[in-house]
Amino acid sequence: MNFTNFGNFVVALCALIGRSIAQEEQLQAGKPRNASYDYVVIGGGTAGLALAARLSVSASVAVIEAGGLYEKDNGNQSVVPYYGLIMPFLATTEDHPRQPLMDWDLLCTPQSSAGNRRIHYAQAKTLGGSSAINTMTYHRGTVGSYQRWADLVGDLSYTFDNLLPYFKRTATVTPPNLQKRNAPNATVLYEPSAFDNRLKGPLQVSWANWVDPTQSWLARALQAVGQALNPSGFNSGKLNGGAWTPSTIRPKDATRSTSKISYLESAIKSKRRQPTIYLHSQASKILFDQDKTATGVAVVTEGNGYVISAKKEVILSAGVFHSPQLLLLSGIGPASTLSEYSIPIISDLPGVGQNLWDQIFFNVLRGISVPNAGTYLATPAQQAVALQQYYTNAAGPYSSAGGYISFEKLPAEYRTTLSPRTADMLSQFPTDWPEIEYLASGFPSGTANPTTIGVISAILLSPLSTGNVTIRSSSISDPPVINLGWLTDPADGETLVAAFKRVREMWNSSAISGIVAGPEIVPGATVTSDADILNYIRQSAQPIWHASSTCAMGKKGDSGAVVDSKARVFGVNGLRVVDNSVTPFSVPGHPQSSVYMLAEKIAENILKAE
Ligand SMILES: Cc1cc2nc3c(=O)[nH]c(=O)nc-3n(C[C@H](O)[C@H](O)[C@H](O)COP(=O)(O)OP(=O)(O)OC[C@H]3O[C@@H](n4cnc5c(N)ncnc54)[C@H](O)[C@@H]3O)c2cc1C
Ligand SMILES: *[C@@H]1O[C@H](CO)[C@@H](O)[C@H](O)[C@H]1NC(C)=O
Ligand SMILES: *[C@@H]1O[C@H](CO)[C@@H](O)[C@H](O)[C@H]1NC(C)=O
Ligand SMILES: *[C@@H]1O[C@H](CO)[C@@H](O)[C@H](O)[C@H]1NC(C)=O
Ligand SMILES: *[C@@H]1O[C@H](CO)[C@@H](O)[C@H](O)[C@H]1NC(C)=O
Ligand SMILES: *[C@H]1O[C@@H](CO)[C@H](O)[C@@H](O)[C@@H]1NC(C)=O
């Protein structure tokens, strides 16, 4: 490192540290005692902070957040993109490493159709919510999937064309920096018209300033089996073929763009009224008056209980597992469950906690002879080089979180083994809804040859199994009971077995035969029969953390519906749910774009008193 670069490096580092400290001082912190605001938002997560920032333009807003500040509690892990791929507490085994300052430490019930495993399902407990721990992939769903949403909720404002203005409001896009990416073989295609920077969307969306060579090679295998580059990218309503996908990374310093650093910081910088943030404060119950109008929230901060009253509305944004939990604890849910725990019934809504959608994936591993991000960070000397690239140029392996992804409906030759029932159920998804997403990655192998363990993953985007969430007591101090329901419908196993064979075809492609070294490592050549493949999938399936739909939006009177198309909870007044629990199904692919979009859309409803 020469002197000039070192100087830049120190300046950049100080700026970075200075930024997070200064920001914390500027947060308007709530005091743990009775108070009253126009709007009370429960959960300062992905949706919660986007909503709070928008509402605070013309109203007083309190945000009740159970966690603290990730910059302090998780440091670089939540700031530097590369660490997002390897955060230890994201492990899914029951004995995962713990990070109680950041994670709710949720374990599901033993999954009888998935090896009886209890999956650790990471969910962030921090200001910024899961946007502070997610993998940063940003893309939108398909035209057909939002049409399905519109049809299910009986509201044409949910078609892709009608949602596009709200998607555009959320994000500012920065085109790929080809010089920093330094990979002409990792071509980015997208439609600039899918974004509108004049709207100054707070969220930063960009393409990584570094390309992982392993991904560039595995991308070839995906393309070779028929998944060509999608010319429009993944933000114009089409998900077929492959793309280098954008990420929620701020390109100027290659830091993670969370709901906190984007929406909340914008509100703070604007010098107008900003939301008041109650940190380390857990909502324990939503309170109602005689007319079933939500009047406020009971909150506990370090053992100290008090009430934050809402002059206008309470908005629940506690995420896919905690929003249904809090509704139940407050008397909204299936009457039988409420009675079982002697909770007075405010609204008998059988759908609360039902209809849990989850996307699961499996991996197939083989050795390859090209480096990956981890290879470049293997020794202290390499790390020093990479740190310099990162802090002087916002580039290099630390600046990137991936990734090449690809989508398809399984091709005809892979459908021949599907039962008529499964084929029929899959045919009911919209024609542009991909059944499988493929993801390419790798990690250092620890030996010179192969240098890398390459990973091709297949994610089920058309799950037909659903799970459920409920409570185990009438107290917020007990975690929700989560039954993911993985692989309980045989259709999912059949679809994934077909996808498994498709992944083997990718690995077998002549496009990568020059770099593939040795036989399949996991699950290995002995796994060939459909029964053995299915067994491998049951024993190893992982969550990609896209769980949704436990407080599903729907039409009034529909048996499973919890909120209407303006996110208002049925049977009560002054209460909405706005987060990934209200999407009526898992939108195909990665959900954060839709979560931010929904926050913008409902914020507009609220401000217009709709
Ligand atoms: C590890 C991981 C990787 C992911 N990768 C991607 C990706 O690459 N791309 C993508 O699009 N999506 C990804 N996702 C999914 C996406 O991040 C989530 O769907 C989205 O962030 C959910 O937003 P939310 O507002 O519903 O909930 P959250 O952002 O989780 O917010 C809920 C908030 O409520 C708080 N809370 C809960 N209960 C209470 C209470 N009683 N009182 C006070 N506060 C409470 C929580 O602490 C949290 O801050 C990933 C998710 C995870 C966990
Ligand atoms: C706070 O509000 C609650 C409910 O309105 C009330 O019962 C309680 O007495 C109040 N506490 C104080 C200290 O005013
Ligand atoms: C793409 O280019 C990068 C940078 O030159 C290189 O490391 C990688 O091996 C290339 N990938 C392919 C598939 O050619
Ligand atoms: C959740 O689903 C399981 C499996 O179908 C079922 O046994 C259980 O009763 C359900 N629980 C709730 C709360 O609906
Ligand atoms: C791999 O490719 C060879 C020919 O290139 C073919 O004979 C073989 O069946 C393929 N195997 C798989 C699992 O696709
Ligand atoms: C982030 O943490 C600071 C302070 O501990 C270190 O000085 C940085 O080198 C580190 N950055 C990375 C990319 O690991």
Side-chain angles (χ1 to χ4, degrees):
M1 195 183 292
N2 69 35
F3 182 74
T4 323
N5 280 345
F6 187 70
N8 288 344
F9 172 87
V10 171
V11 170
L13 199 64
C14 292
L16 210 71
I17 293 168
R19 181 157 64 81
S20 64
I21 292 170
Q23 224 189 301
E24 195 179 317
E25 283 164 358
Q26 290 165 357
L27 270 188
Q28 192 167 294
K31 309 227 166 41
R33 58 178 183 233
N34 285 3
S36 155
Y37 298 82
D38 293 329
Y39 299 103
V40 182
V41 178
I42 302 173
T46 312
L49 287 185
L51 251 162
R54 291 308 190 202
L55 295 180
S56 66
V57 169
S58 59
S60 67
V61 180
V63 174
I64 314 299
E65 170 52 49
L69 298 170
Y70 63 81
E71 294 90 337
K72 223 195 283 176
D73 296 336
N74 211 32
N76 284 344
Q77 297 274 317
S78 280
V79 175
V80 178
Y82 172 72
Y83 294 130
L85 303 175
I86 57 164
M87 253 184 239
F89 70 87
L90 299 185
T92 58
T93 51
E94 201 172 338
D95 63 352
H96 58 283
R98 303 234 141 84
Q99 211 318 10
L101 295 177
M102 286 295 294
D103 178 35
W104 284 93
D105 207 3
L106 299 172
L107 277 184
C108 75
T109 58
Q111 295 297 291
S112 55
S113 300
N116 246 10
R117 290 174 298 145
R118 298 193 68 192
I119 303 297
H120 165 235
Y121 208 111
Q123 287 288 287
K125 184 187 203 173
T126 192
L127 194 63
S130 295
S131 73
I133 65 168
N134 71 17
T135 319
M136 293 161 269
T137 301
Y138 179 95
H139 76 79
R140 302 168 188 159
T142 65
V143 170
S145 60
Y146 296 111
Q147 181 66 51
R148 176 64 56 91
W149 187 336
D151 295 343
L152 282 173
V153 306
D155 184 341
L156 286 175
S157 69
Y158 281 89
T159 64
F160 182 74
D161 284 348
N162 290 337
L163 292 177
L164 196 52
Y166 301 99
F167 279 114
K168 287 181 173 175
R169 247 179 235 181
T170 65
T172 293
V173 73
T174 304
N177 184 324
L178 300 180
Q179 194 200 338
K180 287 184 180 176
R181 281 172 74 78
N182 187 28
N185 54 28
T187 307
V188 169
L189 300 178
Y190 79 109
E191 282 174 350
S193 62
F195 297 89
D196 185 352
N197 287 356
R198 291 169 306 181
L199 302 176
K200 299 194 177 0
L203 191 67
Q204 294 289 319
V205 170
S206 69
W207 283 264
N209 284 338
W210 189 77
V211 173
D212 187 327
T214 287
Q215 293 200 2
S216 70
W217 276 96
L218 296 184
R220 286 192 175 185
L222 273 52
Q223 290 159 3
V225 302
Q227 295 169 35
L229 276 184
N230 180 329
S232 66
F234 293 153
N235 286 299
S236 301
K238 294 196 187 84
L239 295 180
N240 56 344
W244 291 93
T245 171
S247 303
T248 41
I249 295 177
R250 179 164 69 179
K252 90 172 172 201
D253 56 3
T255 54
R256 178 191 285 267
S257 186
T258 63
S259 63
K260 180 195 175 219
I261 211 77
S262 62
Y263 275 91
L264 186 59
E265 186 174 285
S266 300
I268 292 171
K269 277 195 189 142
S270 70
K271 305 281 183 220
R272 54 166 167 74
R273 186 142 60 162
Q274 51 169 287
T276 301
I277 311 289
Y278 290 75
L279 290 178
H280 303 293
S281 301
Q282 188 173 17
S284 58
K285 198 178 199 176
I286 301 158
L287 306 171
F288 295 90
D289 67 12
Q290 301 285 326
D291 304 325
K292 302 192 176 183
T293 298
T295 56
V297 180
V299 183
V300 182
T301 307
E302 282 152 15
N304 176 16
Y306 55 101
V307 172
I308 300 297
S309 303
K311 284 178 260 185
K312 293 184 170 159
E313 288 193 35
V314 173
I315 298 130
L316 178 55
S317 301
V320 64
F321 302 122
H322 296 105
S323 283
Q325 177 196 27
L326 213 50
L327 287 181
L328 285 160
L329 294 178
S330 309
I332 299 172
S336 55
T337 308
L338 301 174
S339 311
E340 188 179 345
Y341 297 105
S342 309
I343 299 170
I345 299 174
I346 304 282
S347 178
D348 175 10
L349 286 182
V352 173
Q354 299 297 316
N355 191 48
L356 167 60
W357 278 59
D358 201 18
Q359 301 167 347
I360 58 174
F361 73 96
F362 66 82
N363 299 318
V364 177
L365 272 52
R366 293 191 70 168
I368 57 177
S369 58
V370 283
N372 65 88
T375 320
Y376 292 98
L377 300 171
T379 65
Q382 286 171 306
Q383 288 165 15
V385 172
L387 279 178
Q388 196 201 340
Q389 288 175 297
Y390 184 61
Y391 287 116
T392 60
N393 206 25
Y398 283 122
S399 68
S400 168
Y404 190 82
I405 62 178
S406 193
F407 296 92
E408 70 174 2
K409 273 203 202 280
L410 287 165
E413 62 269 36
Y414 288 89
R415 310 186 81 84
T416 54
T417 52
L418 301 178
S419 68
R421 174 183 174 271
T422 299
D424 178 58
M425 289 174 86
L426 290 177
S427 75
Q428 290 171 31
F429 284 89
T431 52
D432 68 356
W433 181 309
E435 290 158 348
I436 307 290
E437 174 184 341
Y438 303 91
L439 222 154
S441 62
F443 55 91
S445 79
T447 63
N449 190 29
T451 53
T452 295
I453 309 295
V455 184
I456 300 180
S457 314
I459 307 163
L460 179 65
L461 302 186
S462 52
L464 292 159
S465 310
T466 52
N468 56 43
V469 181
T470 189
I471 48 177
R472 67 187 85 215
S473 77
S474 60
S475 165
I476 191 71
S477 45
D478 292 315
V481 180
I482 300 165
N483 176 4
L484 297 167
W486 284 2
L487 296 163
T488 49
D489 189 300
D492 293 350
E494 285 180 38
T495 309
L496 283 171
V497 168
F500 182 94
K501 295 173 187 169
R502 183 76 164 141
V503 171
R504 274 200 174 149
E505 182 195 4
M506 293 167 179
W507 271 121
N508 199 28
S509 148
S510 58
I512 56 167
S513 54
I515 60 139
V516 175
E520 185 176 292
I521 300 169
V522 175
T526 57
V527 176
T528 52
S529 69
D530 287 3
D532 286 352
I533 294 170
L534 180 56
N535 186 48
Y536 167 66
I537 291 167
R538 289 196 194 285
Q539 300 299 327
S540 69
Q542 305 271 309
I544 191 143
W545 306 285
H546 293 173
S548 72
S549 315
T550 51
C551 302
M553 192 180 276
K555 294 179 197 151
K556 191 178 168 80
D558 282 359
S559 63
V562 175
V563 302
D564 71 7
S565 68
K566 296 190 170 72
R568 296 175 295 206
V569 176
F570 289 117
V572 299
N573 305 308
L575 176 64
R576 304 192 203 224
V577 184
V578 184
D579 59 24
N580 205 34
S581 72
V582 301
T583 61
F585 47 72
S586 282
V587 173
H590 302 251
Q592 66 170 336
S593 69
S594 296
V595 173
Y596 283 114
M597 173 278 291
L598 188 69
E600 289 282 3
K601 188 170 185 337
I602 304 299
E604 183 182 274
N605 290 146
I606 295 172
L607 289 173
K608 288 186 175 167
E610 292 175 336

